[in-house]
Structure formats: structure tokens, C-alpha cells
């Protein structure tokens, strides 16, 4: 059968070319946006007198019918159509006859696909946003449930300083808040309507682009018709925001995997979010966290794929751009799946405060506080740092920790040491003394929790 665009050519194509060219298998996802976009277009054509009012009404009714039939399953996609735009127009024309053929006045598939994609992705952003908030809720829940639990904080994955477990968790909350910001910012630029740019140059008809934009909930219109049909920045920005979000989830996953190991045992994951091994009966594997970490790679791939596709494309529309959808849809689907499993996995995880405390006590992570003690007594920090290091070395040689080294030994290093040193190097004191804004003290962590709640409200 000849294509709807038969004209200059016979419109008869080889089936291999059809399969290669068609996008309906993946752009059928956007059928709702395609149809509502067309309804707004028909309304504008009628309002501007470009087609008769009755014709516009017929088109809108016909489109509404197609929407309902697709929703109910009464109508199925015809995968022999090139894309979703052609499919909808074909059904409309079958149902309405010649009136159906008027819908495509003053527009092109080039502005139509850009419109559909913006509308589809902006509602995906809203969904992703809600899912990120679920993860934030799970973080807040764990932070509040584990108030006062001390763990070692790390740098270079070496025990560094004592921190509150909740402080560590809240670090991830700050990352996710920035992710929410990035998504909102991306949505702002996405919510600009390209419809009416037509193929590339605009149109000779007296259209009203702002009428259509307003009907479809856009904040404005693309101010240059060539840019309107060529721009895929909104896809790149979204994948990039998702890639950053995935990177955060991946870092968090990595820590959960470490914490769940026998070596750490800082947490235990709920059975519901772990798997067993087919051969080793003792195993409880953190597969969900590992998969989130793994899927981060594929989202980076989506970003690189689209950046590379767009690089060097001349203006305006090129068929290469059809490749945008699979990349951005994959990133969106992947991050949604990850967020959906991450929130309950986190909410149901159990902290092991005793194990965290044990790890905190064995690693000389109060050595900075020992140096600070000497500074308090009048010694310059560099000298205090050096002496504290020598004391750590002595402890290691004697199989002791700072808390169990007797005062006489301390005084061999400096006579500034007195009995009050033990209170200063107590883990809880070390944490509570870190009162600087954003530090690990209980009060500071509570302020962070309140801040995040306020941002979410
Ligand atoms: N299926 C196409 C895409 O996804 C729609 C736009 C086609 N435009 C064209 N002039 N062939 O990009």
C-alpha cells in the first residue's frame, strides 16, 4: 500500500525499509499526548477559521473516540504504520473520511513529535519527582529511627571520625534534593511548545501558537521555528539529570552492599529485598542494590548515545532524531524502576548499632579529638597532630586503643594531658562537639531533617 505521504514518490517502499524506518513500536507510548496535541490543534484551526468550526468539532470528537478506544483496548495499534502520528491520522481519516485529512493543516510531524515528546516527558518528570520523594521519606524515616547511633565516618574507605549514622544518611537526602531541583529546572525549559513551527519555517496560515500552547499547559512557545523542531536539549537535560540521580543511588547502593557484608554488618536488609544463592545456602545477596548500581551504567549509555546522535546534525529535523526516544525512554523507565525498589528496600533495612559502635571504637577515629584536646590546652595544632599520631602508634604497639591507654603513658608524650582527656575522646562527646552548622552533632542532624522536611512540604 502507498504511504500517506505518497506524492513526489510512489510511496511504495520495501518492507525492510519500512521496518527500519518505523518508530511506532516505541512512540506508541505517546499516544495520549499525540491525540491531545491534535485536539488542541484542531481547536485552534477552528477558532482561527482555518477550517470550519463544525469540522474542528468533528475532528475533536473523532480524536476523543480514538483516545477512548485505545484506552479501552477496543482499538489496537497498527504496527505497519510508520509512527504514532501516522497511525492516529490514518484511523481518524478512516473514521471521518475527508475531514480527517484536514487535521494536518499548518503543522508537520516535525513539530508534532517534538510536542508529544515534551508533553510525555514532563509528566514522566512529575512521576520521577514523586518517586524521589518516596526515597527521601525512607531516608528521613531511617534517620529518625536511628537517632544517636554512632558509626565510623570514612575517607579513603579508612575509618576517619565518628559520625551519626543519621548524619551519613542525610548526606544522601541533600543529593536527592538537588536531583529534585535539577528535574524541576529541566521541566521549566521542557515546558515550551514547539507546535506551529511546522516543518521548519513556520506557516503561511494565520495560526495562533499561543492558543495551542496554553491549551496544552505550556508556559510559552519556541521563539524560533527552526530551533523548535531541532531542539532536543530537553531530552539531554533530562537524561543527564537522571544520570546524576542514578549516580547518587549507585553510591548509596555501594554503601548498602558494603554495610550488608559480613565484614561490616552495619545493616541487614529485609528478606523481601534480597535473594539467595542456588548453591550456597548461607547467602543473602543484596541484588536490588547491585542492580541499581549496575543499571547506572546503562543510563550513562543512554546519555552518551543521544549526545553522539545529535552531534554534528545540521538543522533542522533529521531522521537521526528519531533515535532520541528509545534513549530517553530507557533512562526514564530505568530510573523509575530503581526508585520504586530503592524506597522500600531502604525503609525496611535494619541498622545494627552495636556493630557500628564496635567499628567506631576500634579505629582511632577520635585521634583528631585527642589533638584538639592538646590544642585546647595551648599546644599549636601541628605539634598536637604529631604527638597524637605517635600515641596512636604506641597504642597499636601495645594492643590498646586511645580510651584504654593509661594517663601515665599519655604524660610521657606531653604533660598537658590530664584525666579530663578521656571525656574529650569519648565517641559521643566527639560527635556532640561537632556543632558547626551541617556537622554531625545530634542538634545539627535534627536541623538537617527539619530542613529536608520543609523542602518537601
Ligand atoms: N517518527 C519520527 C520521529 O520519531 C517523527 C517525525 C518524522 N518526520 C519526518 N519528517 N519524517 O522522529
Amino acid at each position: 500500500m502507498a504511504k500517506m505521504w505518497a506524492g513526489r514518490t510512489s510511496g511504495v517502499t520495501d518492507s525492510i525499509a519500512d521496518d527500519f524506518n518505523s518508530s511506532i513500536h516505541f512512540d506508541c507510548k505517546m499516544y495520549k499526548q499525540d491525540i491531545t496535541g491534535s485536539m488542541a490543534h484542531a481547536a485552534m484551526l477552528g477558532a482561527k477559521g482555518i477550517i470550519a468550526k463544525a469540522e474542528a468539532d468533528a475532528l475533536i470528537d473523532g480524536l476523543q473516540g480514538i483516545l477512548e478506544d485505545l484506552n479501552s483496548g477496543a482499538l489496537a495499534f497498527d504496527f505497519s504504520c510508520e509512527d504514532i502520528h501516522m497511525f492516529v491520522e490514518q484511523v481518524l481519516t478512516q473514521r471521518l473520511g475527508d475531514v480527517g485529512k484536514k487535521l494536518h493543516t499548518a503543522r508537520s510531524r516535525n513539530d508534532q513529535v517534538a510536542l508529544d515528546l515534551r508533553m510525555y516527558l514532563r509528566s514522566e518528570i512529575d512521576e520521577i519527582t514523586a518517586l524521589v520523594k518516596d526515597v527521601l521519606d525512607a531516608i528521613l524515616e531511617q534517620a529518625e529511627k536511628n537517632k544517636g547511633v554512632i558509626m565510623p565516618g570514612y575517607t579513603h574507605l579508612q575509618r576517619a571520625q565518628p559520625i551519626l549514622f543519621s548524619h551519613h544518611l542525610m548526606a544522601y537526602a541533600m543529593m536527592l534534593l538537588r536531583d529534585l531541583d535539577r528535574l524541576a529546572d529541566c521541566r521549566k525549559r521542557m515546558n515550551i511548545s514547539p507546535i506551529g513551527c511546522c516543518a521548519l519555517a513556520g506557516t503561511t496560515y494565520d495560526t495562533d501558537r499561543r492558543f495551542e500552547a496554553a491549551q496544552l499547559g505550556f508556559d510559552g512557545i519556541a521563539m524560533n521555528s527552526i530551533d523548535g523542531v531541532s531542539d532536543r536539549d530537553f531530552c539531554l537535560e533530562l537524561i543527564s539529570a537522571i544520570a546524576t540521580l542514578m549516580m547518587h543511588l549507585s553510591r548509596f547502593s555501594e554503601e548498602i552492599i558494603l554495610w550488608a557484608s559480613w565484614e561490616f554488618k552495619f545493616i541487614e536488609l529485609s528478606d523481601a529485598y534480597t535473594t539467595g544463592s542456588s548453591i550456597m545456602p548461607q547467602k543473602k545477596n543484596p541484588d536490588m542494590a547491585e542492580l541499581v548500581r549496575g543499571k547506572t551504567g546503562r543510563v550513562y549509555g543512554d546519555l552518551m548515545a543521544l549526545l553522539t546522535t545529535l552531534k554534528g546534525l545540521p538543522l533542522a529535523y533529521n531522521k537521526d532524531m528519531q533515535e532520541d526516544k528509545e534513549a530517553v525512554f530507557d533512562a526514564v523507565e530505568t530510573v523509575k524502576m530503581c526508585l520504586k525498589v530503592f524506597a522500600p528496600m531502604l525503609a525496611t533495612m535494619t541498622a545494627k548499632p552495636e556493630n557500628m559502635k564496635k567499628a567506631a571504637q576500634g579505629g582511632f577515629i577520635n585521634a583528631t579529638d585527642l589533638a584538639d584536646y592538646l590544642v585546647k590546652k595551648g599546644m599549636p595544632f601541628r605539634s598536637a597532630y604529631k604527638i597524637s599520631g605517635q600515641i596512636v602508634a604506641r597504642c597499636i604497639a601495645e594492643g590498646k586503643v586511645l580510651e584504654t591507654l593509661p594517663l601515665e603513658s599519655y604524660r610521657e608524650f606531653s604533660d598537658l594531658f590530664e584525666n579530663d582527656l578521656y571525656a574529650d575522646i569519648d565517641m559521643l562527646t566527639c560527635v556532640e562537639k561537632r556543632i558547626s552548622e551541617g556537622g554531625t552533632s545530634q542538634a545539627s542532624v535534627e536541623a538537617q531533617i527539619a530542613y529536608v522536611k520543609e523542602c518537601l512540604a
Side-chain angles (χ1 to χ4, degrees), residues 139-154:
I139 294 177
L140 289 172
E141 199 182 310
Q142 287 288 1
E144 291 191 305
K145 191 154 68 185
N146 291 293
K147 265 189 192 155
V149 172
I150 294 177
M151 68 178 268
Y154 297 82

Side-chain angles (χ1 to χ4, degrees), residues 276-295:
S277 153
S278 56
I279 170 169
M280 298 166 281
Q282 81 284 11
K283 291 300 280 294
K284 183 170 181 182
N285 296 328
D287 285 27
M288 310 305 131
E290 290 170 74
L291 264 179
V292 169
R293 188 176 59 183
K295 284 178 189 290

Side-chain angles (χ1 to χ4, degrees), residues 23 27 82-83 85 109-110 113 317 319 321-322 325:
S23 56
D27 62 24
E82 190 178 318
D83 53 32
H85 328 295
R109 273 188 296 159
N110 298 348
V113 71
Y317 179 84
K319 189 74 171 191
M321 289 160 75
Q322 180 165 287
K325 281 171 284 299

Side-chain angles (χ1 to χ4, degrees), residues 66 173 207 295 399 428:
I66 296 174
T207 53
K295 284 178 189 290
L428 190 61

Side-chain angles (χ1 to χ4, degrees), residues 148 150 162 164 425-433:
I150 294 177
L164 290 179
I425 61 170
D426 174 77
M427 288 298 161
L428 190 61
T429 319
C430 296
V431 164
E432 282 310 307
K433 272 190 315 195

